[in-house]
Amino acid sequence: MRILFDSKISQFKTPFGTLTPGQNCTLHIHIPSTVQATAVTCLIRNEDQSPALSVPMEYQKKKGAYDIFGGRFSFQTVGLYFYHFRIDTKTGSFSLFKQGDNTNMEQGDLWQVSCIPADFTTPDWAKGALMYQIFPDRFRQSGKCDLTGKLQPYTVHKHWDEEVDWKPTPEGLVLNNDFFGGNFKGITEKMGYLASLGVEILYLNPVSKSFSSHRYDTGDYKTPDPMLGTAEDFSAMCNAAHSHGIKVILDGVYSHTGSDSLYFDKKKSFGGKGAYCTKDSPFYPWFSFLQYPDRYRCWWDFDTLPTVNKMEPSFVDYIITGKDSVVAHWLKLGADGFRLDVVDELPNEFVALLKKRIREIRKDALLVGEVWEDASNKSAYDVRRRYFVDGVLDSAMNYPFRTAILNFMRGWDDGRGLRNVVMTIAENYPPQVLCCNMNMLGTHDTPRILTALVDDYEGSREENAKRKLSRSMREEATERLYMASFLQYTLPGMPSLYYGDEAGMEGCKDPFNRRTYPWGHEDQDLLSHFRRLGQLRKHPVLRTGDIEFFQAGEHRLGFSRSLDGKKLRVYLNRSGDSWDIPAGKILLAHNMHTVAPNWLTLSPMGFCVVEET
């Protein structure tokens, strides 16, 4: 017999998940009577591992073969806390740690609980909303692009459906300076299309004037890239989005600039007043030179991306606190929030200042962070990140969900791992963040989801450029995408659709995941599926309801979403056998049929969501 404690179940811990200052938390632990426990203590430490609380667990009752001990505690200070148990017996004592899904008597991981600010709120409009991510150069072009002021050199493709440039220069560099001419007007003209998918948030990769097509090498923070259009074009796009009930968020790239920029100006494209050109530059304090001017700190050793001193007062003023700061500038033009690129490279203080300022300008502005791990306990550069305990990030990119869904769909996990990932994130994240979490299957940094669902190929750029899914692989990938996207749209958070995934685009990693949208060549069946998912997602229970699993294993998943007395049941059958499930009001189904008045059958690769009546 094992000691029983599962922090995800109310039988052992209430309330579920995070706490606020002064809120009581009750723990119960079930210890086999044969252990002969005489005393139980819950030992709680701060994130820096200094002791915080020692909570005595009193004997309460005997239940079957178990002795039940219970205790209560609360925190007065926000922060990240970890705990384990010490159990005294008649013959000695031992510590009980968390180890994976279960507990044991050997040293292992600690349980986690966060205390978050009581006044931490996230925008209501973002909770459970459907997001659509666009790589601006590759979505759609309308009219001709004004190339006046475009940073050189660059090339413009003659045809929309040409392959992206991937060949390196003779020096071995991949410049990413080929353009297709996607622009603000093109996005504006497709706002009705986005609305037909159910989109409520439009997330754009960087739009500021830059040398490269990805535009993460910022040239001028406050000026749109001329190829995209003008500030007026941007505002017109935002207005069109708002008229369709769609918010707009932008990529905020504040850990580094481009070397070819107003601020660094290595090529003197901006008049030779940047930090590289003169120490008298007002931007000189932004950068760290090891040997002026040619040796300087740069992002991941790319000398085209000099890193900035984030807390340099003039940089903070320029980006955040100044009257016409960068964030103020774009919010006033019509943006509704930001996604912070590599947020773990920004100091906690910087992120907190930025959140404070955007909420001063727009009380419901959204702030999303790029985090590839569990954002609640993220450490980077030996510093614990305080995204939730300081109430600064409203949302994080939910890569843990993406990995778990891929593992389940590829058959590498029978469902148990996915349940554990989902419930761990649900437990560790504040509920107001959980329903705003950016749940994506594909992004500009990952292979296309259609490819990732069947293909593990790791080849050279030349090989990846030529690689296409075979007919049988594409059919299998499409069937898996039906189920993976259904799962994405029914889990808590904001489903995020990477442009073209709904059309059946495929491709390996960068730059082949950044091809142009295939207008006129979409997979119409897949597109119809995503439109149905977009309509399903408007159900209030899916937007903000609680989640509880009742099946996870044997390649089958079953969970409920509940809100205000209403309940939806979600089923996915990844196994090779049929699965009989209780009937209900069917909201969406695939590969399902009725076998009896009160029973439904899911065929292999079938899924459905039913409403309890």
Side-chain angles (χ1 to χ4, degrees), residues 446-568:
T446 63
R448 284 280 172 180
I449 184 59
L450 201 64
T451 298
L453 282 168
V454 292
D455 195 357
D456 298 319
Y457 186 73
E458 289 284 346
S460 66
R461 287 191 173 223
E462 182 175 10
E463 292 167 327
N464 287 339
K466 299 175 182 177
R467 191 162 182 82
K468 306 290 183 184
L469 297 179
S470 66
R471 181 175 180 179
S472 61
M473 289 179 71
R474 186 174 174 91
E475 289 175 353
E476 182 176 20
T478 302
E479 187 71 5
R480 289 181 180 180
L481 181 53
Y482 274 91
M483 179 175 283
S485 55
F486 173 77
L487 183 52
Q488 175 195 21
Y489 275 60
T490 52
L491 287 172
M494 300 187 302
S496 180
L497 183 55
Y498 185 46
Y499 81 101
D501 280 349
E502 77 277 17
M505 289 180 68
E506 60 182 78
C508 301
K509 60 186 179 181
D510 170 25
F512 307 107
N513 56 355
R514 303 175 182 180
R515 294 182 173 116
T516 54
Y517 186 101
W519 297 109
H521 303 282
E522 300 93 335
D523 181 324
Q524 292 297 329
D525 291 337
L526 194 57
L527 191 56
S528 296
H529 166 72
F530 274 97
R531 286 194 169 116
R532 289 192 294 270
L533 288 179
Q535 290 302 310
L536 173 68
R537 187 64 197 183
K538 295 183 184 299
H539 198 295
V541 174
L542 290 178
R543 295 179 74 94
T544 58
D546 295 333
I547 184 170
E548 183 176 358
F549 280 83
F550 52 81
Q551 168 69 38
E554 299 179 337
H555 301 283
R556 294 173 176 174
L557 288 174
F559 57 88
S560 64
R561 300 292 308 276
S562 305
L563 179 69
D564 297 333
K566 296 181 179 180
K567 179 180 285 189
L568 304 182

Side-chain angles (χ1 to χ4, degrees), residues 367-415:
L367 190 62
V368 183
E370 180 193 11
V371 185
W372 287 66
E373 305 85 8
D374 183 332
S376 70
N377 51 38
K378 170 76 176 182
S379 290
Y381 304 96
D382 299 321
V383 176
R384 181 79 72 179
R385 303 303 172 176
R386 297 177 59 85
Y387 302 134
F388 304 146
V389 297
D390 283 346
V392 291
L393 285 187
D394 300 313
S395 168
M397 297 184 74
N398 201 350
Y399 280 100
F401 273 23
R402 177 185 183 271
T403 301
I405 292 173
L406 276 174
N407 288 343
F408 178 69
M409 294 311 308
R410 296 295 300 270
W412 300 330
D413 164 46
D414 73 350

Side-chain angles (χ1 to χ4, degrees), residues 204-436:
L204 301 182
N205 288 111
V207 299
S208 294
K209 183 176 182 178
S210 305
F211 171 79
S212 71
S213 57
H214 56 69
R215 299 189 173 100
Y216 282 94
D217 53 335
T218 309
D220 183 345
Y221 279 113
K222 296 182 183 180
T223 302
D225 194 282
M227 188 169 277
L228 289 172
T230 64
E232 290 74 20
D233 293 331
F234 174 80
S235 290
M237 181 197 69
C238 291
N239 290 337
H242 295 156
S243 71
H244 283 84
I246 299 173
K247 303 286 188 178
V248 179
I249 67 170
L250 299 178
D251 235 321
V253 188
Y254 307 130
S255 67
H256 55 270
T257 72
S259 59
D260 191 6
S261 67
L262 172 66
Y263 320 103
F264 203 75
D265 210 8
K266 190 172 184 177
K267 294 184 177 181
K268 297 186 178 180
S269 304
F270 292 83
K273 297 180 180 179
Y276 183 88
C277 304
T278 172
K279 292 184 178 181
D280 293 329
S281 169
F283 308 116
Y284 179 78
W286 291 16
F287 304 96
S288 296
F289 290 93
L290 305 176
Q291 184 175 342
Y292 189 80
D294 291 314
R295 291 185 59 221
Y296 46 87
R297 298 192 186 281
C298 45
W299 189 78
W300 289 67
D301 294 329
F302 290 105
D303 64 1
T304 57
L305 302 174
T307 54
V308 297
N309 301 317
K310 288 79 171 175
M311 295 309 296
E312 160 59 35
S314 62
F315 182 73
V316 172
D317 181 78
Y318 190 89
I319 300 294
I320 302 173
T321 57
K323 183 178 180 180
D324 187 34
S325 66
V326 171
V327 295
H329 178 80
W330 288 104
L331 289 173
K332 291 172 183 176
L333 285 176
D336 300 285
F338 297 90
R339 173 261 193 192
L340 293 181
D341 182 56
V342 291
V343 67
D344 60 351
E345 299 186 13
L346 303 174
N348 289 325
E349 299 86 349
F350 184 93
V351 181
L353 281 171
L354 192 147
K355 174 65 173 294
K356 179 176 181 290
R357 182 68 198 285
I358 66 173
R359 284 291 177 87
E360 289 171 350
I361 299 169
R362 182 158 297 182
K363 64 180 180 180
D364 61 351
L366 179 71
L367 190 62
V368 183
E370 180 193 11
V371 185
W372 287 66
E373 305 85 8
D374 183 332
S376 70
N377 51 38
K378 170 76 176 182
S379 290
Y381 304 96
D382 299 321
V383 176
R384 181 79 72 179
R385 303 303 172 176
R386 297 177 59 85
Y387 302 134
F388 304 146
V389 297
D390 283 346
V392 291
L393 285 187
D394 300 313
S395 168
M397 297 184 74
N398 201 350
Y399 280 100
F401 273 23
R402 177 185 183 271
T403 301
I405 292 173
L406 276 174
N407 288 343
F408 178 69
M409 294 311 308
R410 296 295 300 270
W412 300 330
D413 164 46
D414 73 350
R416 294 182 181 91
L418 186 144
R419 175 191 59 187
N420 186 58
V421 169
V422 170
M423 294 310 297
T424 296
I425 293 294
E427 179 183 26
N428 289 353
Y429 284 36
Q432 60 268 45
V433 172
L434 181 66
C435 57
C436 292

Side-chain angles (χ1 to χ4, degrees), residues 97-133:
F97 295 86
K98 176 183 180 182
Q99 184 95 10
D101 289 334
N102 304 304
T103 60
N104 58 28
M105 296 186 184
E106 303 297 328
Q107 184 169 350
D109 297 332
L110 301 171
W111 285 276
Q112 172 185 315
V113 61
S114 294
C115 183
I116 63 172
D119 60 353
F120 180 18
T121 61
T122 58
D124 287 339
W125 57 262
K127 294 175 180 174
L130 174 58
M131 178 183 285
Y132 191 90
Q133 179 187 351

